Amino acid sequence: MKFVGIVGTNSDSSTNRKLLHYMREHFADKAEIEVCEIKSLPAFNEPKDKTPPPAVKALSDKIESADGIIIATPEYDHSITAALKSVIEWLSYTTRPLINKCVMIVGASHGMLGSSRAQAHLRQILDAPELKARIMPSSEFLLGKSLQAFDEKGNLVYLDKVKELEECFDEFLLFVKLTNQLLATEKFNTEQNKKFSWLKTAEEGALS
């Protein structure tokens, strides 16, 4: 399987980046994970022609062709970063590659909670009509005290968290396999959902 791992911050120093790079190496025998940065992407500005900038289109193409997505989100003020929200807005407003795409959410934070509020918020966002991602249910990987979590080689030193991450990742592999099999045999209006428009909905409501 091929996954895209999105670093959910524009920070140059991020333990969420370290977490994704660790996952890429640790699970190399199970899946190929390409770690993608968002720090160079422009802020969302709602272009009238709904055409994404080249860098956003490149990320969208990678998401489209991947078997699944892993998003590593920090927590800023009880939510995801503005940079990650901006990227999601680009994707939802333009190409909509996350529709019916399997997503695993992980997160690291300097405190004890491991981005739990941000992960809950991200789940709500990804369930929006323009996104409709297939989010792995009943599974959270929360890495607290992340500043001390990695050694100089980038290895995760909390052995209990290594085991927990392995279990979560195996669950995600199964979730992706079963979900993609279902999507391949059943019609879920993916293309129709990509054409969803709040403007159209408002116009239909005015006519009724």
Side-chain angles (χ1 to χ4, degrees), residues 15 18 108 143-151 154-158:
T15 52
K18 289 183 178 181
L143 181 63
K145 297 184 178 179
S146 60
L147 287 176
Q148 299 84 36
F150 300 94
D151 63 21
N155 294 312
L156 184 58
V157 299
Y158 302 151

Side-chain angles (χ1 to χ4, degrees), residues 117-129:
R117 295 184 182 95
Q119 289 195 34
H121 191 196
L122 183 54
R123 284 177 178 270
Q124 288 182 308
I125 293 170
L126 292 175
D127 200 36

Side-chain angles (χ1 to χ4, degrees), residues 68-108:
I69 310 300
I70 304 168
I71 302 177
T73 178
E75 183 171 309
Y76 289 7
D77 300 324
H78 292 184
S79 186
I80 63 175
T81 66
L84 179 56
K85 186 63 167 61
S86 176
V87 171
I88 293 173
E89 287 165 355
W90 272 121
L91 297 176
S92 69
Y93 187 73
T94 58
T95 54
R96 297 180 176 170
L98 287 167
I99 290 178
N100 286 331
K101 188 67 64 173
C102 295
V103 177
M104 176 184 185
I105 301 173
V106 298

Side-chain angles (χ1 to χ4, degrees), residues 125-145:
I125 293 170
L126 292 175
D127 200 36
E130 303 92 332
L131 293 161
K132 284 188 175 293
R134 301 283 176 170
I135 311 153
M136 185 169 70
S138 305
S139 181
E140 290 181 316
F141 181 74
L142 309 170
L143 181 63
K145 297 184 178 179

